[in-house]
Every structure is written in structure tokens, then in C-alpha cells.
Amino acid sequence: MKSDTSTSAAPLKGLVGPLRSSEPALALPAVSPAVHLLEEAADLLVVHLDFHAALETCERAWQSLAEEPASGTVVEVRCSLCVVGIQALAEMDRWREALSWVLRYYQAPEKLPPKVLELCILLYSKMKDPGAMLDAASAWLQDPDNQGRLEYASLAKLHLFRLLLPLGRLSEAEELAAGSVAFSEEQRVEALQAIHTARQQHTQEHLNSQEPQRLSQEGSFSHKLLSLLMLLRRLWGSAVSHLLSQPFRKSLLAALILCLLVLRFDPAAPSSLPFLYQLTQLFRRIQKATLSRLYPLPLRD
């Protein structure tokens, strides 16, 4: 994530901008070493573009603040150190380490300063990895101590639009938009409409992904049905050829004569006439089929 000097300095405005070596340090001497280190880290990042040295300077400044009480000045310096450190990691293409790096100092996601959490969400969202921030942002928003902060509404909106919607967590997004008091009525309507649009897009994408599979299944079924019909046709042709063959007809005639002898069938009896008539018709059909197979009729124009 290389960028020019003006781009690198953008996230630091309002936090690191006022801290320059040419300006007076903060009033409390107890935090003076950390303030000087913060100024040095900012200069290394913005002016000298020495991102590795800027990160190391931030870590040294954090060590100097380890034993300091959490006064307002210390809190501000710690937050500024995190902003500089995150920017340095991003410039070195080590942005995946940003969240774990700040958690080394704050231990729990819900303890992160709002500005640091916002910067992490924007960074991971820009790098197409919103899932890495999902748990941390959710933990911060669910913490009761954070729900009274002025930045809560903006972070909740950022969580919804930059994390939940891109990840397809539509139910969670809808619950947050409808149930959170942080949203104004206008913001709530905007969020719910965005959720509705995202749900339609997901539904359309799901249908589009299912279409090739459905066509493939239909094609496979048609191919199997055609193969089955061809097999049945071959079997039928084989059966007809077997029935019309000379040995089969001789065997059938021999079986009928044997049946007449065993049952002592009397051809002169009146009761035998229907049977003889049906037998004659059977032989005629067999003969006709044989002749039509051996001597097919020419096609007519």
C-alpha cells in the first residue's frame, strides 16, 4: 500500500498533525518522552517515509507509557501512536497485522478507542477482508460502556455498511438497524433499504449460480432417457428377429404338435374350432411379418 506523502498523512489529521518538533510539547513532564517519540514517529512516517522506523518508535513510546496512569493526555497519545503505527503497517503492506498490533496494547477489542476502531474497519474493508474485523467491531458495539459514546452511531453505521452487508450478514444488519437507538429515523430507513437491496442481489446471485446446475441436471436426465430408449429399441429389434427366425418357428410348431399329442386334442371336435382359428391367424401374422421383413415394400414418392 505505497502512497505519496499527502496520502500517508491523511489519516493522521487531527491526531498527529499538531505534534511537531517545532511546536511546544504537552504540559505534563511525565508524558514528555512519549510525546517526543510520537512527534518523531510522525516525522518518520510523513516526511522521511521510513515506515519501519516509525513503527519501532511507536512501540518504544508505548513502552514508556506502560506505567503511566490513564489520564486524558495519555489516552490521546496512545490513540495517536496507534494511528501512526497502523498507517506504518499499511504502508509496509503488513496491514493484516494492524488489529493484532493494537490489541497487544489494549488487550480487548471493546477497549479500543473509537478512532482506532474506525481506522481498522476502514483499512480491512478497503483491503477486501471485512471478516477479520467482524468480531472485534461486534464486541465493541455490544459493550455497555461504549454505547454512550458520541462516536457510537457512526461506528454502528460503519459496522453495518462496511462489514455486515459485504459479508452477507443481512439478518444481523437488519437487527442492528431496527433495534439500535444510535440510528436516527432517516439513517434507519437508509440502512433498511440498503439491506433490502443487498438481499435482492444475493437472491439473484443464488438463482444465477443454480441455473447452470439445473441445466446440467436436465441435460444429464435427457441423455439417460435417450440411452434407455435406444437400449429398449435394440432389445425390441432383437426380440422380433428372434421371433421371426426359422428355428424359432420350427420349435413353436413342434411345441404345438407335442401339446396336441399330450392333451389328446381332437381337431374334428366343434369345441376345437376357435382354437384352430386363432392358431391359423397367429401363423398368418408370423408369415406376413416374415415376408415384410424379407421383402420390404419400396418407398412411394
Side-chain angles (χ1 to χ4, degrees), residues 8-154:
S8 301
L12 307 178
K13 292 179 180 178
L15 286 173
V16 182
L19 301 175
R20 290 289 181 268
S21 56
S22 60
E23 299 177 4
L26 296 180
L28 294 179
V31 297
S32 179
V35 171
H36 286 302
L37 288 172
L38 174 59
E39 294 173 356
E40 181 183 349
D43 286 338
L44 288 169
L45 176 71
V46 179
V47 180
H48 302 287
L49 302 180
D50 191 345
F51 309 123
H52 183 74
L55 182 64
E56 287 185 342
T57 304
C58 289
E59 292 175 345
R60 285 193 288 117
W62 262 101
Q63 292 175 359
S64 69
L65 289 173
E67 303 299 328
E68 296 295 332
S71 63
T73 303
V74 172
V75 170
E76 182 180 354
V77 172
R78 287 174 176 173
C79 180
S80 299
L81 287 171
C82 283
V83 172
V84 176
I86 292 171
Q87 184 72 7
L89 287 169
E91 295 290 354
M92 291 187 291
D93 200 23
R94 293 168 55 189
W95 57 270
R96 293 178 182 82
E97 305 174 31
L99 180 60
S100 60
W101 186 79
V102 296
L103 289 178
R104 282 166 51 188
Y105 303 107
Y106 286 99
Q107 283 79 45
E110 55 269 21
K111 303 301 181 183
L112 292 175
K115 184 63 178 179
V116 174
L117 181 64
E118 178 185 0
L119 188 58
C120 287
I121 291 176
L122 292 174
L123 174 62
Y124 282 86
S125 174
K126 180 180 179 181
M127 301 309 296
K128 310 299 182 184
D129 189 18
M133 282 300 303
L134 184 61
D135 292 339
S138 298
W140 195 95
L141 292 172
Q142 293 171 4
D143 188 85
D145 295 336
N146 295 326
Q147 293 178 0
R149 291 177 177 266
L150 296 176
E151 303 89 349
Y152 185 86
S154 61

Side-chain angles (χ1 to χ4, degrees), residues 61-278:
W62 262 101
Q63 292 175 359
S64 69
L65 289 173
E67 303 299 328
E68 296 295 332
S71 63
T73 303
V74 172
V75 170
E76 182 180 354
V77 172
R78 287 174 176 173
C79 180
S80 299
L81 287 171
C82 283
V83 172
V84 176
I86 292 171
Q87 184 72 7
L89 287 169
E91 295 290 354
M92 291 187 291
D93 200 23
R94 293 168 55 189
W95 57 270
R96 293 178 182 82
E97 305 174 31
L99 180 60
S100 60
W101 186 79
V102 296
L103 289 178
R104 282 166 51 188
Y105 303 107
Y106 286 99
Q107 283 79 45
E110 55 269 21
K111 303 301 181 183
L112 292 175
K115 184 63 178 179
V116 174
L117 181 64
E118 178 185 0
L119 188 58
C120 287
I121 291 176
L122 292 174
L123 174 62
Y124 282 86
S125 174
K126 180 180 179 181
M127 301 309 296
K128 310 299 182 184
D129 189 18
M133 282 300 303
L134 184 61
D135 292 339
S138 298
W140 195 95
L141 292 172
Q142 293 171 4
D143 188 85
D145 295 336
N146 295 326
Q147 293 178 0
R149 291 177 177 266
L150 296 176
E151 303 89 349
Y152 185 86
S154 61
L155 285 173
K157 184 177 180 180
L158 205 62
H159 177 62
L160 191 151
F161 283 96
R162 293 299 187 101
L163 301 181
L164 294 179
L165 290 185
L167 290 171
R169 303 290 191 96
L170 303 183
S171 298
E172 297 177 35
E174 196 169 24
E175 182 179 351
L176 177 63
S180 177
V181 295
F183 290 97
S184 65
E185 190 61 31
E186 182 179 353
Q187 291 174 333
R188 183 174 290 105
V189 171
E190 178 188 0
L192 291 175
Q193 176 148 15
I195 294 169
H196 177 69
T197 303
R199 181 172 281 115
Q200 287 182 328
Q201 291 176 350
H202 279 274
T203 302
Q204 186 63 38
E205 290 173 1
H206 178 71
L207 292 176
N208 292 339
S209 64
Q210 292 294 324
E211 185 67 16
Q213 182 179 359
R214 184 181 65 83
L215 293 176
S216 176
Q217 290 177 349
E218 290 180 356
S220 176
F221 176 76
S222 300
H223 179 70
K224 291 179 180 178
L225 181 60
L226 182 60
S227 300
L228 180 60
L229 292 176
M230 292 178 65
L231 177 61
L232 291 176
R233 181 181 177 183
R234 287 196 297 268
L235 291 176
W236 174 253
S238 176
V240 170
S241 299
H242 181 68
L243 289 173
L244 298 178
S245 63
Q246 191 73 15
F248 178 77
R249 286 185 291 152
K250 291 181 179 180
S251 301
L252 180 60
L253 181 59
L256 289 174
I257 295 174
L258 181 62
C259 181
L260 293 175
L261 292 175
V262 172
L263 299 177
R264 295 183 180 181
F265 184 75
D266 185 7
S271 59
S272 303
L273 293 178
F275 177 76
L276 292 175
Y277 176 75
Q278 293 177 2

Side-chain angles (χ1 to χ4, degrees), residues 284-297:
R284 285 180 179 176
R285 284 198 294 270
I286 293 175
Q287 184 180 13
K288 185 178 180 181
T290 303
L291 292 175
S292 63
R293 186 177 181 84
L294 294 176
Y295 307 102
L297 294 176

